[in-house]
Amino acid sequence: MPDTKYLIVGSSHAGLAALEAIRLADAEGSITLLSKEGSLPYSPTVLPYVFSGMADADRVFLREDDYFKQMGVDFKRGSAVTELNAQKGQAVLETGETIGFQKALLATGARPQVPKIEGLSDCPFQVLRTLADAKALKSGMESARSAIILGAGLIGMHAAESLCEAGLQVTVVEMAGRVLPGYFDAKASGMIKSIFNEHGVKLLLGSPVTHVVANHNGCGVSLENGLDLSADMIMVATGVIPNWECLENQGIDGAQGVLVDDYMRTGLKNIWAAGDVTRSKSFFDNSPTYSGTLPMAVEQGRIAGASMAEDPGVKPFPGAVPLNTYSFFGNRSFSVGQAMATASGKKTEVNLIHIPSSNSYQKLVFNADRLVGAMGINSELDPGVLWRMIERQVELGDVKEAFAAKPKEIGRLLMNNLWR
Amino acid sequence: MGRSYHTIAFDAQKCNGCQECEKACAQAKAGVTDLVHSRIKVSPGRKEGEWGLALCRQCAQPLCVMNCPGGALSKDPVSGVVSWDESRCVGCKLCTLACAYAGITFNQATGQVMKCDFCGGDPACVKSCERGALQHLTGSDIYNEWGDLEDLFVPGISACLGCNSELLVRHTLRRVGPNTVVATPPGCIAGVGAVGVNGLTATKTPVFHPLLTNTASMLAGARRYYNRIGRDVTMLAFAGDGGAADVGFQSLSGAAERGEQIIFICVDNEGYMNTGVQRSSTTPYGAWTSTTPVGSVLRGKTRDAKPLPIIMLMHNCEYVATASTAYMEDYYQKLEKAILAAKKGMAYVHVFSPCPTGWRLPPARLIEAGRKAVQCNLMPLWEYESATGDMRFTHPVDNPLPVTDYLSMIGKYRHLSAEQTQHIQEHADRQVDLLRKFMQQRMDLAV
């Protein structure tokens, strides 16, 4: 007999969402939840706020011990899995301990990707993916006067802001031509960039790094354009790679993310996967895509849990939608769907509002009768309403004009009606 | 068992966009009238006079909670309220991305997110809505209070699809409990298996099958026997309108006059439904039945229904009430009083009971029909307690809907002419007027 009916490897958003979905359909089945961390579950997304001081490192946990008792879940901390064997239905822990399972969910997330840059591995650098990283970054920041951040994605930009607020001289180096290239168009990125510049953060865009050297006061970074930079600390925030290795040697390749189907099945017998460890189909073109966002982890976790528990109400994954919110220096922004699109042909229409005086920007992208993307900086729109309008492919028909004119009000009204 | 929660319901038809709810919310939550602080948002629609509502729905599986990286949002397992802990919020606004209904939104004035917290159980917005567009629904209390009690009616009975009587019997027995003897004379409830098939009964209480004529007297006899041996056992009759208003009337009237300690529930589906939809004395004017057909001469029933609840009011009962499964909380409260009253004398409860099969009513609209009947004043909900002499409407309808709102839902009224509809409207108005006069009279007597 297996030791547990459901084994969930990883206790962040995807794992917890799956756990709740399982309990909705199966009140009794044994659930074992593993975390490689020694702490209660937490979200990697909260970490920038931990080292900025906004969040108290002792109060960031997503669930308390009582919760697992109430849910009838065996929560094992400090349990890193080295092998999740589909054939044997068995997980092997780092400690050598084994756990048999009927069904397993891989929700191990991802870890920082360290680019292959000459000299980088010989230089002490910071990353941000675990609580330990956040604490190390915080203490490193205290003795530093300047910092170089490689990568202008969400982690890099969050770190830049916190380090800047802490009084450091901050330089962000990004290979792409703009900040947050995954979420914002040139206009919006430009606005974000100028706000960072106003606060004294230097952003070097379109600047590939050639090599890094450790020097007497920290490290030096040389760019392809010939510029040499130097700072007390260096942080690498150039993306993530999935923690998929426990599935190695079983005939699948998860280096770019473990590919899952519409029910989060991996193709390996009785093994599901959800969250940052996966690649799943894109909502817009069905091509395999890596999301790596918190909301997608929740969506996938819920589906995986329902599918594992054979919930008759399980709905297939509609596909990954790129989306996020981002707050910086008292400003707020969001991006949902095909927000980067530009107007083309008859089908794709773009509706733009830019008010420089209030630093606000709003963009709606339509494909024929449907909303397919939206973006906002200091905009009053409800990103959640827009996401679900996109996902449900709401045909706007004769409401389109009214929606384009009053997207906040009409969007709310439409979702209100759809709910009934 | 899980829990069920209160909710705020919005009726878009009744909303006129006055924003009083927003003012009340801002006042309650921020102490000012600036609407920027309101957690409830009325949204103008596409057309003039169309209004939508953005308000936290306190979801069962709240996505805002699941998407919060700081553990700042949580759902209270007792109240069901999704609450926001300012001290743990990091300001990432992922909750505003997770919520599909703009239930948690960014407040420009505070720079933080905000959401409805139900005002601790007494929502200010609902109280401010004079048009009744917002309602605080508390029906979940029935489930929380009584849901753990055993269902004393077995599954698998042979009632028609959507039968109101089954709903009624399940709720009633659950609340009245197993220390009960049930009498069900010939009629639908006995017919669906309550009194048994092949020696097995569908109730998990003792049940017997009196004649249509003697339900109240047999039950009275059983009660007297238990009284004599010193056992307090509840006596409960489920009789149809035939078994109460027509064939069973003399024994019911007699038992009421003698003050027999029984609960007599008349399940009024306005006709003899299990024998082929014949008219009874409670069949309303104009209704089609198989014995009041619709043809070139006859256009349904030509006489008004016998007002049995009012007749029972004149019988010195301990308790008389009308009820409907469409107002379940009201029914539970009345059942409570009936149980107590039956320790002293007769408790008579007249339950309005739409019948999908006999009335040509889609089962899915059964509860709606029950609601409309009350809202049109065709089945006013009221009660009388002998102990206090108090008689009152339990669900007063100040602005009744036209009776056509109800009649048009139901097949047995499909043929009605304008004159017939007019007759029904006038009759309904007269009945309510009569009830008001009774209530006035009793108040005068009390003074």
Side-chain angles (χ1 to χ4, degrees):
Chain A
M1 270 295 285
D3 299 332
T4 187
K5 185 167 180 188
Y6 305 100
L7 181 71
I8 302 175
V9 186
S11 66
S12 193
H13 294 282
L16 293 173
L19 185 164
E20 279 170 24
I22 291 171
R23 272 291 172 259
L24 278 181
D26 183 349
E28 314 266 288
S30 55
I31 303 179
T32 303
L33 176 68
L34 305 180
S35 171
K36 68 176 181 194
E37 301 273 338
S39 66
L40 285 166
Y42 64 84
S43 170
T45 304
V46 83
L47 299 173
Y49 305 95
V50 170
F51 97 86
S52 77
M54 175 107 191
D56 176 351
D58 299 327
R59 295 188 71 221
V60 294
F61 301 112
L62 298 172
R63 301 288 188 276
E64 302 297 328
D65 271 324
D66 276 1
Y67 168 82
F68 297 108
K69 247 175 255 158
Q70 279 161 20
M71 296 291 274
V73 172
D74 185 12
F75 176 49
K76 291 179 190 287
R77 310 183 192 196
S79 304
V81 171
T82 54
E83 186 189 345
L84 196 59
N85 192 306
Q87 277 310 313
K88 295 188 202 159
Q90 178 182 285
V92 182
L93 307 190
E94 212 168 44
T95 56
E97 191 189 337
T98 59
I99 300 172
F101 62 80
Q102 284 178 27
K103 298 174 182 186
L105 173 70
L106 187 69
T108 41
R111 61 182 182 277
Q113 178 182 42
V114 179
K116 291 195 179 86
I117 296 172
E118 193 192 323
L120 184 58
S121 54
D122 301 325
C123 185
F125 60 85
Q126 307 272 7
V127 293
L128 184 57
R129 186 68 190 190
T130 64
L131 259 181
D133 293 341
K135 288 173 185 166
L137 201 48
K138 198 169 184 179
S139 65
M141 171 172 94
E142 276 155 17
S143 56
R145 282 171 304 155
S146 57
I148 295 171
I149 296 169
L150 303 186
L154 284 171
I155 293 289
M157 294 298 276
H158 269 299
E161 179 179 347
S162 299
L163 294 171
C164 167
E165 298 278 30
L168 278 74
Q169 184 62 49
V170 183
T171 307
V172 180
V173 181
E174 166 65 44
M175 212 156 63
R178 57 179 196 253
V179 300
L180 299 164
Y183 295 111
F184 295 101
D185 62 13
K187 179 91 200 165
S189 299
M191 291 171 69
I192 296 170
K193 178 176 180 249
S194 8
I195 290 168
F196 270 76
N197 286 342
E198 281 162 28
H199 284 83
V201 177
K202 198 183 283 179
L203 292 149
L204 303 175
L205 307 176
S207 307
V209 176
T210 53
H211 61 272
V212 176
V213 287
N215 59 28
H216 58 281
N217 60 351
C219 46
V221 173
S222 300
L223 308 184
E224 212 175 71
N225 61 15
L227 214 58
D228 288 324
L229 311 168
S230 179
D232 301 341
M233 64 186 281
I234 179 166
M235 179 185 176
V236 175
T238 52
V240 294
I241 50 172
N243 294 323
W244 79 285
E245 286 76 5
C246 60
L247 293 184
E248 262 180 331
N249 305 320
Q250 297 186 66
I252 62 166
D253 179 9
Q256 307 297 315
V258 175
L259 191 63
V260 289
D261 69 6
D262 290 356
Y263 295 94
M264 304 300 128
R265 293 175 294 219
T266 60
L268 294 174
K269 195 176 131 199
N270 295 329
I271 296 184
W272 283 253
D276 289 5
V277 73
T278 66
R279 249 185 325 156
S280 54
K281 77 171 184 197
S282 155
F283 175 75
F284 296 103
D285 64 9
N286 289 331
S287 63
T289 182
Y290 183 80
S291 309
T293 63
L294 193 164
M296 283 300 126
V298 170
E299 296 295 298
Q300 295 183 341
R302 294 168 80 204
I303 293 168
S307 172
M308 291 167 79
E310 292 168 36
D311 185 333
V314 64
K315 291 198 179 73
F317 185 54
V321 176
L323 78 188
N324 230 317
T325 57
Y326 174 52
S327 299
F328 55 100
F329 292 114
N331 298 277
R332 61 193 198 284
S333 64
F334 73 88
S335 168
V336 185
Q338 295 180 315
M340 240 93 76
T342 48
S344 73
K346 274 187 188 166
K347 272 188 105 181
T348 306
E349 281 174 63
V350 172
N351 173 314
L352 281 180
I353 300 173
H354 178 212
I355 307 170
S357 60
S358 60
N359 252 331
S360 79
Y361 179 64
Q362 179 179 302
K363 177 179 180 182
L364 298 171
V365 182
F366 298 91
N367 189 336
D369 251 5
R370 293 173 184 165
L371 182 72
V372 292
M375 181 186 297
I377 295 178
N378 295 324
S379 142
E380 284 189 28
L381 296 182
D382 305 300
V385 167
L386 302 173
W387 171 18
R388 299 302 178 175
M389 281 177 65
I390 293 170
E391 190 188 75
R392 293 184 184 198
Q393 307 188 36
V394 174
E395 293 281 355
L396 291 165
D398 55 6
V399 204
K400 189 173 165 187
E401 213 170 298
F403 175 75
K406 292 192 293 180
K408 177 174 141 185
E409 289 78 8
I410 302 294
R412 287 177 174 182
L413 186 82
L414 287 170
M415 284 312 297
N416 187 60
N417 293 345
L418 277 176
W419 179 69
R420 271 148 208 285
Chain B
M1 191 190 77
R3 273 184 76 84
S4 183
Y5 303 116
H6 291 188
T7 191
I8 294 173
F10 174 63
D11 184 346
Q13 306 296 322
K14 291 185 181 165
C15 180
N16 68 347
C18 71
Q19 293 184 305
E20 285 301 322
C21 54
E22 293 190 31
K23 286 178 210 157
C25 181
Q27 191 66 49
K29 294 291 127 200
V32 292
T33 49
D34 186 348
L35 301 187
V36 73
H37 297 289
S38 177
R39 278 79 169 139
I40 185 168
K41 301 278 186 191
V42 174
S43 287
R46 290 156 285 185
K47 304 184 287 278
E48 192 70 21
E50 185 188 29
W51 301 96
L53 188 77
L55 176 67
C56 173
R57 304 176 190 288
Q58 321 289 351
C59 295
Q61 278 86 48
L63 279 171
C64 58
V65 173
M66 283 190 239
N67 276 274
C68 177
L73 289 159
S74 58
K75 186 174 176 72
D76 186 308
V78 176
S79 68
V81 171
V82 174
S83 58
W84 173 70
D85 179 351
E86 181 182 350
S87 74
R88 293 181 64 152
C89 178
V90 296
C92 71
K93 313 192 181 61
L94 276 169
C95 48
T96 68
L97 178 57
C99 179
Y101 308 108
I104 184 161
T105 51
F106 180 73
N107 180 334
Q108 306 266 10
T110 61
Q112 289 179 312
V113 292
M114 59 178 179
K115 71 177 293 304
C116 166
D117 64 359
F118 237 86
C119 291
D122 188 16
C125 55
V126 175
K127 287 187 285 190
S128 76
C129 184
E130 286 178 359
R131 299 170 65 92
L134 292 170
Q135 271 188 297
H136 181 200
L137 301 184
T138 57
S140 59
D141 289 346
I142 292 175
Y143 180 76
N144 293 332
E145 282 175 38
W146 309 113
D148 277 336
L149 295 178
E150 190 187 3
D151 186 349
L152 295 170
F153 208 32
V154 300
I157 59 162
S158 57
C160 300
L161 185 64
C163 177
N164 189 60
S165 300
E166 179 181 356
L167 182 69
L168 179 75
V169 173
R170 282 192 197 287
H171 277 279
T172 309
L173 287 184
R174 193 184 274 259
R175 176 62 196 95
V176 173
N179 184 35
T180 302
V181 172
V182 175
T184 72
C188 287
I189 295 171
V192 302
V195 290
V197 175
N198 297 335
L200 296 170
T201 69
T203 61
K204 299 183 194 173
T205 64
V207 61
F208 70 97
H209 192 43
L211 296 176
L212 204 45
T213 51
N214 63 5
T215 307
S217 42
M218 281 187 78
L219 209 50
R223 173 71 197 207
R224 286 182 180 212
Y225 170 74
Y226 282 114
N227 281 352
R228 177 175 293 180
I229 63 169
R231 280 185 63 188
D232 184 10
V233 178
T234 306
M235 295 296 140
L236 175 67
F238 287 112
D241 40 296
D246 296 354
V247 195
F249 184 67
Q250 63 82 7
S251 69
L252 171 62
S253 173
E257 180 271 323
R258 294 192 306 274
E260 301 291 353
Q261 296 155 288
I262 60 179
I263 303 173
F264 195 101
I265 295 178
C266 172
V267 187
D268 182 7
N269 55 17
E270 302 182 344
Y272 292 83
M273 293 306 161
N274 68 321
T275 52
V277 198
Q278 293 89 359
R279 97 196 268 285
S280 78
S281 63
T282 66
T283 303
Y285 169 86
W288 168 89
T289 68
S290 59
T291 49
T292 55
V294 175
S296 53
V297 179
L298 277 171
R299 307 294 292 170
K301 198 181 171 199
T302 56
R303 307 284 298 168
D304 283 315
K306 180 194 281 186
L308 190 57
I310 294 176
I311 293 168
M312 293 310 292
L313 181 66
M314 300 285 98
H315 269 75
N316 283 330
C317 291
E318 276 300 311
Y319 184 72
V320 179
T322 61
S324 164
T325 49
Y327 292 86
M328 208 46 112
E329 279 178 284
D330 178 78
Y331 180 60
Y332 267 80
Q333 283 161 11
K334 287 171 177 169
L335 207 46
E336 194 92 9
K337 289 180 180 173
I339 292 166
L340 285 177
K343 298 198 183 295
K344 291 200 266 175
M346 181 176 284
Y348 176 81
V349 182
H350 193 98
V351 181
F352 179 70
S353 212
C355 168
T357 308
W359 295 16
R360 309 301 191 244
L361 169 70
R365 300 192 73 186
L366 180 112
I367 296 295
E368 197 187 340
R371 277 207 189 117
K372 283 269 161 65
V374 170
Q375 289 162 355
C376 297
N377 262 341
L378 281 163
M379 183 62 200
L381 297 176
W382 56 268
E383 67 179 358
Y384 159 74
E385 291 171 84
S386 143
T388 56
D390 187 28
M391 182 180 174
R392 63 189 190 98
F393 288 113
T394 57
H395 190 89
V397 180
D398 298 329
N399 301 301
L401 301 174
V403 292
T404 44
D405 278 22
Y406 165 78
L407 299 173
S408 61
M409 291 176 67
I410 296 162
K412 70 174 175 176
Y413 296 117
R414 202 171 45 202
H415 57 278
L416 291 183
S417 65
E419 289 76 29
Q420 285 177 300
T421 305
Q422 179 68 20
H423 176 104
I424 293 170
Q425 181 69 63
E426 284 167 11
H427 181 71
D429 295 345
R430 268 202 311 277
Q431 290 285 307
V432 170
D433 199 41
L434 181 63
L435 286 168
R436 281 210 187 92
K437 281 178 181 148
F438 272 121
M439 290 172 198
Q440 192 62 43
Q441 187 74 25
R442 290 191 177 271
M443 266 195 283
D444 288 348
L445 288 175
V447 173

